[in-house]
Amino acid sequence: MKKIHFFLSSVGVLAFTDVFLVHDAAWLVRHGTGLRFYVNWAVSTLFLAAALWLVRAGLARWKASEVMRRFKGQVCVCLWTVTAALVALPALAQLAHFKVYNDTIRPNGFDFAAKNAMETMTYFFDLISLPRMFLAVVGLAAGLILLARSVDSCAPRRPLLSRTGLAVCSLLVCGLLPAGAYNWYSVALYQNSVYAFYGTLLESFSIRFGAFAFQKPTVPPDARTARDLPNIIWVVGESAARSHMQIYGYRRPTTPKLQALLDDGTLVRFDDMLAVGNKTMLSLPYMLFGLEGPDPKGRIYSHPSIFNYAKARGMRTAFFSAQDIRWYNFDKLVVDNSLDVVRPGPEFSANVTVRTGADDHDVIRKGVLPFVTETSAPFFLVYQMNGSHYPYADHSPPWAKIFLPEGEPNSRNAYDNSVRYSDSALAELVENVRRQKPNTWIFFVSDHGQSIADGRESKAQFHAGYDADVIVVPSFVVPPVTLLPNELATLRENAKGPTSQSDIFATVLDIFDATPIRPIDGLSWRVPVPPDRVRICSEFMPTFSNNPNAAYVDENRRIFRLDFTKMQVFDDQNNLHSRISELDKSILKVLERRL
């Protein structure tokens, strides 16, 4: 049992060092309360224990070998140096990064280090806290010494692990490491620093050489100064339905604060905004690249994002999200060196899941507004809300619920409470930004709409299909106070006509006075938008399902479903269907280009 005690003590000391020296007590208090934290920490510690057990078994076998008996000193020093390096160097690298950014190293950090080795070493020694590094080194050394004692306590020539035990430990190591790199529930910030380091390293390889090895073209830096540009905030709502928003005529007071901003002219409401897709992982990435579907061949992977253009224009860039951005590899698509600040939902709450994000008020108060206050240069910021995803009851705190009783978690009352809570968060953001930085554009658009069950949970369709409640989404703009009257008039006129989520990208580029280097599908709202434009909402995009279907909306706001497998068009309103080849030439031209 003595050798087990030494081993368990080794794992315990290394884990303690990681929590309080590589990270710190404040990190533990801030994040160590949710199920997601517990799962990530337990998995990463289990990985560390399994890996160390395999190392211990290997060293014990070497100890009893003929080579060790002949070259004991040299071999021993060599093996322990390698072991120490594999454990200590990742931990110290994470320590330096965490001290400055309160976060673990991200995949693009490895890419930077590979291209700028000497600069990375300079940063490391500039950022590292010597007293804390010394204590961390002492802790790591103590853990490795205890591991060495557990090896020394092994009986010579006695198998340390049965074949079953060796297989189990090997499977744990080989299985848990890819899980840390690719599983959406994995959060490096919540993990042991060594496990987080190797998981992120593997993730960076997959981005560079694997399935996500797309090549974004470089947006050339703009020589013009960004000093006189306005600030831009782009807010992406979650599952907001126009049919349950007061600013769109809903009889309940679900958006009283936004209604007040609409009434006094601060807010310009858009009346016919079409979503690019009917799921978050369709609409969100495509609107940030200014594209629409169908896109079965993945045009999106060879286009720059709005962040690339903003950084090239000299702006400070930020992406805040109340949600987890690892879902379906969205982070790999969007996050790169063009982003100065990236703070996803798990940084604000350890209870973030696919369906429930961090509290919008918390993210705005602890992330978005501090960034706005502290940033003096012109900035471009995107904020993805928690909003009203099902189960609706989870998206508003008990004290904020006024439509009672909620009954089922997906009832109408539960949904309306979530919308009212989003209204409060959005109004807080608008009022603070207008007061601090009046020369700021604020764009809001929901990722998709929602079909509400009106209390009958079994009837809920959520956001499937191409119903108007799902694909025609709420949107508004709060222009800067300095906007000229004629520009405001054009914006208001466009707000009455046919618009698309992808238009925000084009409008932002227009505000930057930047020209797209690849063709985009959106149209700028700073000039009149044609009333007969072609707008398409699609699932035929690779960021989610690539299902071969879509819908287009004509100038009379009628919705036509497109089936690319049967090559048919369905008019559900009139119960008619026809061939895609019989569509108007303007629509066929768009489809031919995109397919």
Side-chain angles (χ1 to χ4, degrees), residues 201-224:
L201 179 62
L202 182 60
E203 185 179 358
S204 72
F205 277 117
S206 73
I207 295 171
R208 192 169 182 82
F209 304 110
F212 289 90
F214 52 87
Q215 294 295 321
K216 291 182 187 176
T218 300
V219 181
D222 198 314
R224 295 171 295 173

Side-chain angles (χ1 to χ4, degrees), residues 105-276:
I105 299 170
R106 295 183 181 275
N108 59 333
F110 288 103
D111 187 56
F112 177 86
K115 296 175 181 176
N116 306 275
M118 291 304 298
E119 194 173 350
T120 301
M121 291 299 295
T122 302
Y123 283 157
F124 174 82
F125 288 109
D126 285 345
L127 299 178
I128 199 75
S129 166
L130 291 178
R132 193 162 159 188
M133 182 181 73
F134 175 76
L135 292 174
V137 168
V138 170
L140 293 168
L144 292 172
I145 289 169
L146 287 168
L147 181 66
R149 291 293 303 275
S150 73
V151 172
D152 290 340
S153 66
C154 296
R157 298 187 177 278
R158 184 177 176 180
L160 190 65
L161 274 178
S162 66
R163 290 184 178 178
T164 302
L166 185 63
V168 169
C169 286
S170 300
L171 285 173
L172 282 174
V173 170
C174 295
L176 293 178
L177 187 59
Y182 306 121
N183 191 286
W184 73 270
Y185 202 70
S186 171
V187 181
L189 182 61
Y190 298 166
Q191 296 165 356
N192 178 284
S193 61
V194 176
Y195 176 75
F197 180 92
Y198 289 115
T200 307
L201 179 62
L202 182 60
E203 185 179 358
S204 72
F205 277 117
S206 73
I207 295 171
R208 192 169 182 82
F209 304 110
F212 289 90
F214 52 87
Q215 294 295 321
K216 291 182 187 176
T218 300
V219 181
D222 198 314
R224 295 171 295 173
T225 179
R227 183 178 54 206
D228 298 327
L229 290 177
N231 304 307
I232 299 174
I233 297 177
W234 183 349
V235 181
V236 181
E238 172 60 61
S239 304
R242 290 167 22 124
S243 59
H244 280 250
M245 296 180 72
Q246 183 182 354
I247 60 170
Y248 283 95
Y250 187 48
R251 62 183 177 81
R252 280 181 157 184
T254 53
T255 55
K257 295 184 177 182
L258 292 180
Q259 184 66 46
L261 294 172
L262 178 65
D263 292 342
D264 68 16
T266 301
L267 180 154
V268 178
R269 183 192 67 200
F270 279 67
D271 295 332
D272 187 16
M273 172 68 70
L274 187 70
V276 173

